[in-house]
Amino acid sequence: MNSLQQIASVLKESDNILIFPHVNIDGDAFGSSSALCAALRLMGKNAYIMMSEDAPSNLDYLEHDYITRDASVLEKTEIALMLDCSGYDRIRGREEEYKAGRIKICIDHHATVNSEIEYDYYHCEPQSAATAELVYLLIKELGVEINLEIAESIFTGITTDTGNFQHSNTTKRTHMIAAELYDIKGFGSKKISSLIYDRRSRDEFTLENIVLSNLTFYADGKIAVGTVTQDLLDTLGCNLSHADPIIQRVMSINGVEIGAIIKQNPEGFFKASLRAKSYANVAEVAAQFGGGGHVRAAGCNLGENIGEAKFKLIDALTKAVNV
């Protein structure tokens, strides 16, 4: 594994950089990407975030002019940097643009690693609460002063991936980095929290209520499973990102150790978002289906035939809560 100092040295020597966050982008992936892109541009680099999807509406404040869907915005890609993920399946639709990078870098905090790519530089810290922590440290190595925009992006990544500092992945370093952000003039956590959590539509609340009212419980109530189909999303005028907060509501139910939300994407395929409260290892469950993540937060793809896949998932989750 390479150090952040080594990666910083490579970035300093390059001018054209494309950043690749994962599909179904979340607060950590977007916040990390936005923060790093801002820092690189302050260094005079030609840096962009390569995306193939629209950003979630509650994260629109991170967009600035960083996003591109056309890699030709750069004359050539010297560095292709995968952030908060590893493997081509996590950057679907942008694989060729990543391969075009002369130097390939990956910075991540997920323990599950896809080994199909031989990265020139690789840095992963599974003990890190968020990739935003690593990007903060990388920006320090780059010698870039943290400004308000970067601070807000870093805080977005940290607060979303720690569940507002409630998840078990939160560490002393997490709090120390967050504390340092308050030294930046104009920074306030309330502003960012309001942008993320206080702009939900009535249709989103309707979606949440429907899913929660139709939860299915297993293993004497230790497992709660909800399903979000494209038909339901279309009926309410919602998209997949609007279903993301539901898992946290599921985890607030007394007695539930594992919460699972099965979501159908526009192409008809299903994915499961998994969370554990105290002892179950959902990363191991996700790995059985080709997915991965953290011990208490993971995800996996279930394919197009939800019936058989769901049965196998419930069986694996039951074993996880009965260890």
Side-chain angles (χ1 to χ4, degrees):
M1 186 173 74
N2 302 100
S3 68
L4 291 176
Q5 185 178 26
Q6 289 175 310
I7 292 174
S9 296
V10 176
L11 291 172
K12 289 177 182 178
E13 296 170 358
S14 303
D15 292 320
N16 301 309
I17 302 160
L18 273 184
I19 300 168
F20 292 76
H22 58 70
V23 293
N24 300 321
I25 195 167
D26 59 14
D28 189 24
F30 203 176
S32 298
S33 299
S34 182
L36 183 55
C37 193
L40 291 170
R41 289 199 180 181
L42 287 174
M43 298 173 67
K45 310 294 185 181
N46 300 314
Y48 289 89
I49 303 170
M50 185 73 193
M51 288 175 56
S52 58
E53 60 189 344
D54 292 332
S57 57
N58 67 327
L59 299 175
D60 57 6
Y61 62 94
L62 297 172
E63 291 188 19
H64 306 289
D65 64 339
Y66 300 152
I67 296 174
T68 185
R69 290 173 175 79
D70 183 3
S72 65
V73 68
L74 299 179
E75 186 176 332
K76 61 178 178 179
T77 303
E78 293 177 80
I79 292 180
L81 197 160
M82 201 175 291
L83 204 54
D84 198 40
C85 61
S86 65
Y88 290 126
D89 63 318
R90 301 296 287 139
I91 56 167
R92 288 194 309 271
R94 296 163 289 162
E95 297 94 330
E96 295 307 313
E97 288 82 358
Y98 187 80
K99 292 176 183 178
R102 182 173 61 87
I103 298 173
K104 296 173 179 61
I105 299 176
C106 177
I107 301 174
D108 194 11
H109 76 133
H110 296 95
T112 306
V113 178
N114 192 318
S115 60
E116 65 183 341
I117 304 175
E118 290 188 9
Y119 301 105
D120 297 295
Y121 295 88
Y122 176 78
H123 185 89
C124 181
E125 294 186 24
Q127 73 274 19
S128 179
T131 296
E133 288 188 23
L134 305 179
V135 168
Y136 177 83
L137 298 174
L138 175 61
I139 292 173
K140 291 282 193 178
E141 292 288 350
L142 290 170
V144 176
E145 184 177 350
I146 304 293
N147 61 19
L148 179 59
E149 180 188 317
I150 294 174
E152 292 180 342
S153 297
I154 293 294
F155 187 80
T156 298
I158 290 176
T159 191
T160 52
D161 247 29
T162 61
N164 293 320
F165 304 91
Q166 297 180 68
H167 293 168
S168 59
N169 61 346
T170 307
T171 66
K172 177 181 178 179
R173 187 179 76 176
T174 307
H175 286 290
M176 290 180 68
I177 291 176
E180 289 181 16
L181 300 178
Y182 284 88
D183 293 333
I184 308 303
K185 184 178 180 180
F187 176 78
S189 60
K190 175 57 180 175
K191 171 189 173 183
I192 303 305
S193 295
S194 293
L195 287 170
I196 297 171
Y197 303 111
D198 297 341
R199 296 191 291 161
R200 301 178 66 196
S201 68
R202 280 186 279 182
D203 288 335
E204 290 177 64
F205 278 101
T206 300
L207 171 66
E208 181 178 281
N209 289 334
I210 290 174
V211 175
L212 292 176
S213 64
N214 288 282
L215 290 175
T216 306
F217 293 87
Y218 303 89
D220 297 322
K222 296 178 183 176
I223 301 169
V225 180
T227 304
V228 178
T229 64
Q230 275 298 310
D231 285 343
L232 177 58
L233 293 174
D234 292 341
T235 298
L236 297 175
C238 294
N239 58 50
L240 274 178
S241 69
H242 295 145
D244 290 341
I246 299 176
I247 191 71
Q248 291 304 120
R249 293 293 306 278
V250 173
M251 296 310 296
S252 69
I253 300 174
N254 186 37
V256 169
E257 171 59 26
I258 294 180
I261 297 295
I262 298 173
K263 299 175 285 189
Q264 184 183 33
N265 68 22
E267 290 74 41
F269 293 91
F270 291 87
K271 175 183 177 180
S273 294
L274 309 174
R275 298 291 184 273
K277 187 173 291 181
S278 59
Y279 67 87
N281 188 333
V282 291
E284 289 184 351
V285 173
Q288 297 176 41
F289 297 84
H294 305 288
V295 173
R296 305 288 180 255
C300 57
N301 294 314
L302 299 177
E304 203 168 3
N305 184 354
I306 185 60
E308 182 179 355
K310 184 176 180 180
F311 176 81
K312 292 181 179 179
L313 177 65
I314 299 304
D315 182 61
L317 294 176
T318 301
K319 292 177 181 177
V321 297
N322 290 327
V323 292

